[in-house]
Coordinates of all heavy atoms in Angstrom, one line a residue:
M129 N -18.6 55.3 6.6 CA -18.5 55.8 5.2 C -19.6 55.1 4.3 O -19.8 53.9 4.4 CB -17.1 55.4 4.7 CG -16.7 56.1 3.4 SD -15.0 55.8 2.9 CE -14.1 57.0 3.8
A130 N -20.2 55.9 3.4 CA -21.3 55.3 2.7 C -21.1 55.6 1.2 O -20.3 56.5 0.8 CB -22.6 55.9 3.1
G131 N -21.7 54.8 0.4 CA -21.8 55.0 -1.1 C -20.7 54.3 -1.8 O -19.5 54.4 -1.4
G132 N -21.0 53.5 -2.7 CA -20.0 52.8 -3.5 C -19.5 51.5 -2.9 O -18.8 50.7 -3.6
W133 N -19.8 51.2 -1.7 CA -19.3 50.0 -1.0 C -20.4 49.0 -1.0 O -21.6 49.3 -1.0 CB -18.9 50.3 0.4 CG -17.7 51.3 0.5 CD1 -17.8 52.7 0.6 CD2 -16.4 51.0 0.3 NE1 -16.6 53.2 0.6 CE2 -15.7 52.3 0.4 CE3 -15.6 49.9 0.1 CZ2 -14.3 52.3 0.2 CZ3 -14.3 49.9 -0.1 CH2 -13.6 51.2 0.0
A134 N -20.0 47.8 -1.1 CA -20.9 46.7 -1.0 C -21.5 46.7 0.4 O -20.9 47.2 1.4 CB -20.2 45.3 -1.2
P135 N -22.8 46.3 0.5 CA -23.4 46.3 1.8 C -22.6 45.5 2.8 O -21.9 44.5 2.4 CB -24.8 45.6 1.6 CG -25.0 45.6 0.1 CD -23.6 45.7 -0.5
D136 N -22.6 45.9 4.1 CA -21.9 45.2 5.1 C -22.2 43.7 5.1 O -23.4 43.3 5.0 CB -22.2 45.7 6.5 CG -21.5 47.1 6.7 OD1 -20.6 47.4 5.9 OD2 -21.8 47.8 7.6
G137 N -21.2 42.9 5.1 CA -21.4 41.4 5.2 C -21.6 40.7 3.9 O -21.6 39.5 3.8
A138 N -21.7 41.5 2.8 CA -21.9 40.8 1.5 C -20.7 40.0 1.1 O -20.8 38.9 0.7 CB -22.2 41.9 0.4
E139 N -19.5 40.6 1.4 CA -18.3 39.8 1.0 C -18.2 38.6 1.9 O -17.9 37.5 1.4 CB -17.1 40.7 1.2 CG -15.9 40.3 0.5 CD -14.8 41.3 0.5 OE1 -15.1 42.5 0.5 OE2 -13.7 40.9 0.7
Q140 N -18.5 38.7 3.2 CA -18.3 37.6 4.1 C -19.3 36.5 3.7 O -19.0 35.3 3.7 CB -18.6 38.1 5.5 CG -18.3 37.0 6.5 CD -16.9 36.5 6.5 OE1 -16.0 37.3 6.4 NE2 -16.7 35.2 6.5
A141 N -20.6 36.9 3.3 CA -21.6 35.9 2.9 C -21.1 35.1 1.7 O -21.3 33.9 1.6 CB -22.9 36.6 2.5
Q142 N -20.4 35.8 0.7 CA -19.8 35.1 -0.4 C -18.8 34.1 0.0 O -18.8 33.0 -0.5 CB -19.2 36.1 -1.3 CG -19.8 36.2 -2.7 CD -19.2 37.3 -3.5 OE1 -18.1 37.8 -3.3 NE2 -20.0 37.8 -4.5
I143 N -17.9 34.5 0.9 CA -16.9 33.6 1.4 C -17.5 32.4 2.1 O -17.1 31.3 1.9 CB -15.9 34.4 2.4 CG1 -15.1 35.4 1.6 CG2 -15.0 33.4 3.1 CD1 -14.4 36.4 2.4
D144 N -18.5 32.7 2.9 CA -19.2 31.6 3.6 C -19.8 30.6 2.6 O -19.7 29.4 2.8 CB -20.3 32.1 4.5 CG -19.7 32.8 5.8 OD1 -18.5 32.6 6.0 OD2 -20.4 33.5 6.5
A145 N -20.4 31.2 1.6 CA -21.1 30.3 0.6 C -20.1 29.4 -0.1 O -20.3 28.2 -0.3 CB -21.8 31.1 -0.4
S146 N -18.9 30.0 -0.5 CA -18.0 29.1 -1.2 C -17.3 28.1 -0.2 O -17.0 27.0 -0.6 CB -16.9 30.0 -1.9 OG -16.4 30.9 -1.0
L147 N -17.2 28.5 1.0 CA -16.7 27.6 2.0 C -17.6 26.4 2.2 O -17.2 25.3 2.2 CB -16.5 28.3 3.4 CG -15.1 28.5 3.8 CD1 -15.1 29.1 5.2 CD2 -14.3 27.2 3.9
D148 N -18.9 26.7 2.2 CA -19.9 25.7 2.3 C -19.8 24.7 1.1 O -19.9 23.5 1.3 CB -21.3 26.3 2.4 CG -21.6 26.8 3.8 OD1 -20.9 26.5 4.7 OD2 -22.7 27.5 4.0
D149 N -19.7 25.3 -0.1 CA -19.6 24.5 -1.3 C -18.4 23.6 -1.1 O -18.4 22.4 -1.4 CB -19.4 25.4 -2.5 CG -20.7 26.0 -2.9 OD1 -21.7 25.7 -2.3 OD2 -20.7 26.9 -3.8
A150 N -17.3 24.2 -0.7 CA -16.0 23.4 -0.6 C -16.2 22.3 0.4 O -15.8 21.1 0.1 CB -14.9 24.3 -0.2
L151 N -16.8 22.6 1.5 CA -17.0 21.5 2.5 C -17.9 20.4 2.0 O -17.7 19.2 2.2 CB -17.6 22.1 3.8 CG -16.6 22.9 4.7 CD1 -17.3 23.5 5.9 CD2 -15.5 21.9 5.2
A152 N -19.0 20.8 1.3 CA -19.9 19.8 0.7 C -19.1 18.9 -0.3 O -19.3 17.7 -0.3 CB -21.1 20.5 0.1
F153 N -18.3 19.6 -1.1 CA -17.5 18.8 -2.0 C -16.6 17.8 -1.3 O -16.6 16.6 -1.7 CB -16.7 19.8 -2.9 CG -15.9 19.1 -3.9 CD1 -16.4 18.8 -5.2 CD2 -14.6 18.7 -3.7 CE1 -15.6 18.2 -6.2 CE2 -13.8 18.1 -4.6 CZ -14.3 17.8 -5.9
V154 N -15.9 18.3 -0.3 CA -15.0 17.4 0.4 C -15.7 16.3 1.0 O -15.3 15.2 1.0 CB -14.2 18.3 1.4 CG1 -13.5 17.3 2.4 CG2 -13.2 19.2 0.8
R155 N -16.8 16.6 1.6 CA -17.6 15.5 2.3 C -18.1 14.5 1.3 O -18.1 13.3 1.6 CB -18.8 16.1 3.1 CG -18.4 16.9 4.3 CD -19.5 17.1 5.3 NE -19.2 18.0 6.3 CZ -19.6 19.2 6.4 NH1 -20.4 19.7 5.5 NH2 -19.2 20.0 7.4
Q156 N -18.4 14.9 0.1 CA -18.9 14.0 -0.9 C -17.8 13.1 -1.4 O -18.0 12.0 -1.7 CB -19.5 14.7 -2.1 CG -21.0 14.9 -1.9 CD -21.6 15.8 -3.1 OE1 -20.9 16.1 -4.0 NE2 -22.8 16.2 -2.9
H157 N -16.6 13.7 -1.5 CA -15.5 13.0 -2.1 C -14.6 12.3 -1.2 O -13.8 11.5 -1.6 CB -14.8 13.9 -3.1 CG -15.6 14.3 -4.3 ND1 -16.6 15.3 -4.2 CD2 -15.7 13.8 -5.5 CE1 -17.2 15.4 -5.4 NE2 -16.7 14.5 -6.2
L158 N -14.6 12.7 0.1 CA -13.8 12.1 1.0 C -14.3 10.6 1.2 O -15.4 10.4 1.4 CB -13.8 12.8 2.4 CG -12.7 13.6 2.8 CD1 -12.9 14.1 4.3 CD2 -11.4 12.9 2.7
P159 N -13.3 9.7 1.1 CA -13.8 8.3 1.4 C -14.3 8.3 2.9 O -13.6 8.8 3.8 CB -12.5 7.5 1.2 CG -11.4 8.4 1.0 CD -11.9 9.8 0.8
S160 N -15.4 7.6 3.1 CA -15.9 7.5 4.4 C -16.6 6.1 4.5 O -16.9 5.5 3.5 CB -16.8 8.6 4.8 OG -17.9 8.6 3.9
G161 N -16.8 5.7 5.7 CA -17.5 4.5 5.9 C -16.6 3.3 5.7 O -15.4 3.4 6.2
D162 N -17.0 2.3 5.0 CA -16.2 1.1 4.9 C -15.0 1.2 4.1 O -15.0 1.8 3.0 CB -17.1 0.0 4.3 CG -18.2 -0.4 5.2 OD1 -18.1 -0.1 6.4 OD2 -19.2 -1.0 4.8
S163 N -13.9 0.7 4.6 CA -12.7 0.7 3.8 C -12.8 -0.5 2.8 O -13.3 -1.5 3.1 CB -11.4 0.5 4.7 OG -11.4 1.5 5.6
A164 N -12.2 -0.2 1.6 CA -12.2 -1.3 0.6 C -11.2 -2.4 1.0 O -10.2 -2.1 1.6 CB -11.8 -0.7 -0.7
H165 N -11.6 -3.6 0.7 CA -10.6 -4.7 0.9 C -9.6 -4.8 -0.2 O -8.5 -5.3 0.0 CB -11.4 -6.1 1.0 CG -12.2 -6.2 2.3 ND1 -11.7 -6.7 3.4 CD2 -13.4 -5.8 2.5 CE1 -12.6 -6.7 4.3 NE2 -13.7 -6.2 3.8
E166 N -10.0 -4.4 -1.4 CA -9.1 -4.4 -2.5 C -9.0 -3.0 -3.1 O -10.0 -2.2 -3.1 CB -9.6 -5.4 -3.6 CG -9.6 -6.8 -3.1 CD -10.3 -7.8 -4.0 OE1 -10.9 -7.3 -5.0 OE2 -10.2 -9.0 -3.8
C167 N -7.9 -2.7 -3.7 CA -7.6 -1.4 -4.3 C -8.6 -1.2 -5.5 O -8.8 -2.0 -6.3 CB -6.2 -1.3 -4.8 SG -5.9 0.2 -5.8
A168 N -9.2 0.0 -5.5 CA -10.2 0.3 -6.6 C -9.5 0.5 -7.9 O -10.1 0.4 -9.0 CB -10.9 1.6 -6.3
E169 N -8.1 0.7 -7.9 CA -7.4 0.9 -9.1 C -6.9 -0.4 -9.7 O -7.1 -0.8 -10.8 CB -6.2 1.8 -8.9 CG -6.5 3.3 -9.1 CD -7.0 3.7 -10.5 OE1 -6.4 3.3 -11.5 OE2 -8.1 4.3 -10.5
C170 N -6.1 -1.1 -8.9 CA -5.3 -2.3 -9.4 C -5.9 -3.6 -8.8 O -5.5 -4.6 -9.3 CB -3.9 -2.1 -9.1 SG -3.5 -2.2 -7.3
G171 N -6.7 -3.5 -7.8 CA -7.3 -4.8 -7.3 C -6.4 -5.5 -6.3 O -6.8 -6.5 -5.8
D172 N -5.3 -4.9 -5.9 CA -4.5 -5.4 -4.9 C -5.2 -5.4 -3.6 O -6.0 -4.6 -3.3 CB -3.2 -4.6 -4.8 CG -2.0 -5.2 -5.6 OD1 -2.3 -6.1 -6.4 OD2 -0.9 -4.7 -5.4
T173 N -4.8 -6.4 -2.7 CA -5.4 -6.4 -1.4 C -4.8 -5.2 -0.6 O -3.6 -4.9 -0.6 CB -5.0 -7.7 -0.7 OG1 -5.5 -8.8 -1.4 CG2 -5.6 -7.7 0.7
I174 N -5.7 -4.5 0.1 CA -5.3 -3.4 1.0 C -5.0 -3.9 2.4 O -5.9 -4.5 2.9 CB -6.4 -2.3 1.0 CG1 -6.6 -1.7 -0.4 CG2 -6.0 -1.2 2.0 CD1 -7.7 -0.7 -0.5
P175 N -3.8 -3.7 2.9 CA -3.5 -4.3 4.2 C -4.4 -3.8 5.3 O -4.9 -2.7 5.2 CB -2.1 -3.8 4.4 CG -1.5 -3.4 3.1 CD -2.7 -2.9 2.3
E176 N -4.7 -4.7 6.2 CA -5.7 -4.4 7.3 C -5.2 -3.1 8.0 O -6.1 -2.3 8.4 CB -5.7 -5.6 8.2 CG -6.8 -5.4 9.3 CD -8.2 -5.4 8.7 OE1 -8.4 -6.0 7.6 OE2 -9.1 -4.7 9.3
A177 N -3.9 -3.0 8.3 CA -3.4 -1.8 9.0 C -3.8 -0.5 8.3 O -4.1 0.5 8.9 CB -1.9 -1.9 9.2
R178 N -3.6 -0.6 7.0 CA -3.9 0.6 6.1 C -5.5 0.9 6.2 O -5.9 2.1 6.3 CB -3.5 0.4 4.7 CG -3.8 1.6 3.8 CD -3.0 1.5 2.5 NE -3.5 2.4 1.5 CZ -3.2 3.7 1.4 NH1 -2.4 4.2 2.4 NH2 -3.7 4.5 0.5
R179 N -6.2 -0.1 6.1 CA -7.7 0.0 6.2 C -8.1 0.7 7.5 O -9.1 1.5 7.5 CB -8.4 -1.3 6.0 CG -8.1 -1.9 4.6 CD -8.8 -3.2 4.4 NE -10.2 -3.1 4.5 CZ -11.0 -3.8 5.3 NH1 -10.5 -4.7 6.1 NH2 -12.3 -3.5 5.3
Q180 N -7.5 0.3 8.6 CA -7.9 0.9 9.9 C -7.3 2.3 10.1 O -7.9 3.1 10.7 CB -7.4 -0.1 11.0 CG -8.2 -1.3 11.0 CD -7.9 -2.3 12.1 OE1 -7.0 -2.0 12.9 NE2 -8.6 -3.4 12.2
A181 N -6.1 2.5 9.5 CA -5.5 3.8 9.7 C -6.3 4.9 8.9 O -6.3 6.1 9.2 CB -4.0 3.8 9.3
L182 N -6.8 4.5 7.7 CA -7.5 5.4 6.8 C -8.9 4.9 6.6 O -9.2 4.3 5.6 CB -6.7 5.5 5.5 CG -5.3 6.0 5.6 CD1 -4.6 5.8 4.3 CD2 -5.3 7.5 5.9
P183 N -9.8 5.3 7.5 CA -11.2 4.8 7.3 C -11.8 5.2 5.9 O -11.6 6.4 5.5 CB -12.0 5.5 8.4 CG -10.9 5.8 9.4 CD -9.7 6.1 8.6
G184 N -12.3 4.3 5.2 CA -12.9 4.6 3.9 C -11.9 4.5 2.8 O -12.2 4.9 1.6
V185 N -10.7 4.1 3.1 CA -9.6 4.1 2.0 C -10.0 3.1 0.9 O -10.7 2.1 1.1 CB -8.3 3.6 2.6 CG1 -8.3 2.2 3.1 CG2 -7.1 3.8 1.7
Q186 N -9.7 3.6 -0.3 CA -10.2 2.8 -1.5 C -9.0 2.4 -2.4 O -9.2 1.6 -3.3 CB -11.1 3.7 -2.4 CG -12.3 4.2 -1.7 CD -13.3 3.1 -1.4 OE1 -13.6 2.2 -2.2 NE2 -13.8 3.1 -0.2
L187 N -7.8 2.9 -2.1 CA -6.6 2.6 -2.9 C -5.5 2.0 -2.1 O -5.3 2.3 -0.9 CB -6.1 3.9 -3.6 CG -7.1 4.6 -4.5 CD1 -6.5 6.0 -5.0 CD2 -7.5 3.8 -5.7
C188 N -4.7 1.2 -2.8 CA -3.5 0.7 -2.1 C -2.5 1.8 -2.1 O -2.6 2.9 -2.7 CB -2.9 -0.5 -2.9 SG -2.2 -0.1 -4.5
V189 N -1.4 1.6 -1.3 CA -0.3 2.6 -1.2 C 0.2 3.1 -2.5 O 0.3 4.2 -2.8 CB 0.8 2.1 -0.3 CG1 1.9 3.1 -0.2 CG2 0.3 1.7 1.1
A190 N 0.5 2.1 -3.4 CA 1.1 2.4 -4.7 C 0.2 3.3 -5.5 O 0.7 4.3 -6.1 CB 1.5 1.1 -5.4
C191 N -1.1 3.0 -5.6 CA -2.0 3.8 -6.4 C -2.2 5.1 -5.8 O -2.4 6.1 -6.5 CB -3.3 3.0 -6.6 SG -3.1 1.6 -7.7
Q192 N -2.3 5.2 -4.5 CA -2.5 6.4 -3.8 C -1.3 7.4 -4.1 O -1.5 8.6 -4.3 CB -2.6 6.2 -2.3 CG -2.9 7.5 -1.5 CD -4.3 8.0 -1.8 OE1 -5.3 7.3 -1.6 NE2 -4.4 9.2 -2.4
E193 N -0.1 6.8 -4.1 CA 1.1 7.7 -4.4 C 1.0 8.2 -5.8 O 1.4 9.4 -6.0 CB 2.4 6.8 -4.2 CG 2.8 6.8 -2.7 CD 4.0 6.0 -2.5 OE1 4.6 5.5 -3.5 OE2 4.4 5.9 -1.3
I194 N 0.6 7.4 -6.7 CA 0.5 7.8 -8.1 C -0.5 8.9 -8.2 O -0.3 10.0 -8.8 CB 0.1 6.6 -9.0 CG1 1.3 5.6 -9.1 CG2 -0.2 7.1 -10.4 CD1 0.9 4.3 -9.7
L195 N -1.6 8.7 -7.5 CA -2.7 9.7 -7.6 C -2.2 11.1 -7.0 O -2.4 12.1 -7.5 CB -3.9 9.2 -6.8 CG -5.2 10.0 -7.0 CD1 -5.8 9.7 -8.3 CD2 -6.2 9.7 -5.9
D196 N -1.5 10.9 -5.8 CA -1.0 12.2 -5.2 C 0.0 12.9 -6.1 O -0.1 14.1 -6.2 CB -0.2 11.8 -3.9 CG -1.2 11.4 -2.8 OD1 -2.4 11.6 -3.0 OD2 -0.7 10.9 -1.7
K197 N 0.8 12.2 -6.8 CA 1.8 12.8 -7.7 C 1.1 13.5 -8.8 O 1.4 14.6 -9.3 CB 2.8 11.8 -8.2 CG 4.0 11.6 -7.3 CD 4.9 10.6 -7.7 CE 5.9 10.2 -6.6 NZ 6.3 8.8 -6.6
Q198 N 0.1 12.8 -9.3 CA -0.7 13.4 -10.4 C -1.4 14.7 -10.0 O -1.4 15.7 -10.7 CB -1.8 12.4 -10.9 CG -1.2 11.4 -11.8 CD -2.3 10.4 -12.2 OE1 -3.3 10.3 -11.6 NE2 -2.0 9.6 -13.2
Q199 N -1.9 14.7 -8.7 CA -2.5 15.9 -8.2 C -1.5 17.0 -8.0 O -1.8 18.2 -8.3 CB -3.3 15.6 -6.9 CG -4.6 14.9 -7.3 CD -5.3 14.3 -6.0 OE1 -4.7 14.3 -4.9 NE2 -6.5 13.9 -6.2
Q200 N -0.3 16.7 -7.5 CA 0.7 17.7 -7.3 C 1.1 18.3 -8.7 O 1.3 19.5 -8.8 CB 2.0 17.1 -6.7 CG 1.8 16.9 -5.2 CD 2.9 16.0 -4.6 OE1 3.9 15.8 -5.2 NE2 2.7 15.6 -3.4
F201 N 1.3 17.4 -9.7 CA 1.6 17.9 -11.0 C 0.6 18.8 -11.5 O 0.9 19.9 -12.1 CB 1.8 16.6 -11.9 CG 2.1 17.0 -13.4 CD1 3.3 17.4 -13.7 CD2 1.1 17.0 -14.3 CE1 3.6 17.8 -15.1 CE2 1.3 17.4 -15.6 CZ 2.6 17.8 -16.0
Q202 N -0.7 18.4 -11.4 CA -1.8 19.2 -11.9 C -1.8 20.6 -11.2 O -1.9 21.6 -11.8 CB -3.1 18.6 -11.6 CG -3.4 17.4 -12.5 CD -4.4 17.8 -13.6 OE1 -5.5 18.0 -13.3 NE2 -3.9 17.8 -14.8
A203 N -1.5 20.6 -9.9 CA -1.5 21.9 -9.1 C -0.4 22.8 -9.6 O -0.6 23.9 -9.9 CB -1.3 21.6 -7.6
A204 N 0.8 22.2 -9.8 CA 1.9 22.9 -10.3 C 1.6 23.5 -11.7 O 1.9 24.6 -12.1 CB 3.2 22.1 -10.4
Y205 N 1.1 22.6 -12.6 CA 0.8 23.0 -13.9 C -0.3 24.1 -14.0 O -0.1 25.1 -14.7 CB 0.2 21.8 -14.7 CG -0.1 22.0 -16.1 CD1 0.9 22.0 -17.1 CD2 -1.4 22.4 -16.5 CE1 0.7 22.3 -18.4 CE2 -1.6 22.6 -17.9 CZ -0.6 22.6 -18.8 OH -0.9 22.8 -20.1
N206 N -1.3 24.0 -13.1 CA -2.3 25.1 -13.1 C -1.7 26.4 -12.6 O -2.1 27.4 -13.1 CB -3.4 24.6 -12.1 CG -4.3 23.5 -12.8 OD1 -4.2 23.3 -14.0 ND2 -5.1 22.8 -12.0
R207 N -0.8 26.3 -11.6 CA -0.2 27.6 -11.2 C 0.6 28.2 -12.3 O 0.5 29.4 -12.5 CB 0.7 27.3 -10.0 CG 0.0 27.4 -8.6 CD 1.0 27.7 -7.5 NE 1.9 26.6 -7.4 CZ 1.7 25.5 -6.7 NH1 0.5 25.3 -6.1 NH2 2.5 24.5 -6.6
R208 N 1.4 27.4 -13.0 CA 2.2 28.0 -14.1 C 1.3 28.6 -15.1 O 1.5 29.6 -15.7 CB 3.0 26.9 -14.7 CG 4.5 26.9 -14.3 CD 5.4 26.3 -15.3 NE 5.0 25.0 -15.8 CZ 5.1 23.8 -15.1 NH1 5.8 23.8 -14.0 NH2 4.7 22.7 -15.6
G209 N 0.2 27.8 -15.4 CA -0.7 28.3 -16.5 C -1.3 29.7 -16.1 O -1.4 30.6 -17.0
S210 N -1.7 29.9 -14.9 CA -2.4 31.1 -14.6 C -1.4 32.2 -14.5 O -1.7 33.4 -14.9 CB -3.1 31.0 -13.2 OG -2.2 30.7 -12.2
K211 N -0.1 31.9 -14.2 CA 0.9 32.9 -14.2 C 1.2 33.4 -15.6 O 1.3 34.6 -15.9 CB 2.2 32.4 -13.5 CG 3.2 33.4 -13.1 CD 4.3 32.7 -12.4 CE 5.5 33.7 -12.1 NZ 6.7 33.0 -11.6
D212 N 1.3 32.5 -16.5 CA 1.5 32.8 -17.9 C 0.4 33.7 -18.4 O 0.7 34.7 -19.1 CB 1.5 31.5 -18.8 CG 2.9 30.9 -18.7 OD1 3.8 31.5 -18.1 OD2 3.0 29.8 -19.2
S213 N -0.8 33.4 -18.1 CA -1.9 34.1 -18.7 C -2.0 35.6 -18.1 O -2.5 36.5 -18.7 CB -3.3 33.4 -18.4 OG -3.5 33.3 -17.0
Q214 N -1.4 35.7 -16.9 CA -1.3 37.1 -16.3 C -0.3 37.9 -17.0 O -0.4 39.1 -17.1 CB -0.9 37.0 -14.8 CG -2.1 36.7 -13.9 CD -1.7 36.4 -12.5 OE1 -0.5 36.5 -12.2 NE2 -2.7 36.1 -11.7
L215 N 0.8 37.3 -17.5 CA 1.8 38.0 -18.2 C 1.4 38.5 -19.5 O 2.0 39.5 -20.1 CB 3.1 37.1 -18.3 CG 3.8 36.9 -16.9 CD1 4.9 35.9 -17.1 CD2 4.3 38.2 -16.3
R216 N 0.5 37.8 -20.2 CA 0.1 38.1 -21.5 C -0.8 39.4 -21.6 O -1.6 39.6 -20.6 CB -0.6 37.0 -22.2 CG 0.4 36.0 -22.7 CD -0.3 34.8 -23.5 NE 0.7 33.8 -23.6 CZ 0.5 32.6 -23.1 NH1 -0.6 32.2 -22.5 NH2 1.4 31.6 -23.2
Ligands
ZN163 ZN1 -3.7 -0.2 -6.3

């Protein structure tokens, strides 16, 4: 079938490009390399077991939990926001 359709592969190329972007973002922001000895947020000592379990870890358990909750809240908030804007 011809006419009016995007060239074959155009859509897939777009998906690949955004996947590459996402992967690059994750690689940049994923902690890697040396684990911190002290929490980047509160300065508490990060237990050796945690440092070894999570290579590149920068936060203590307490701060990581707070951050996770904030991210969950943001995700929920963003979902609600986009749903509202669809209804209007
Ligand atoms: Zn902390």
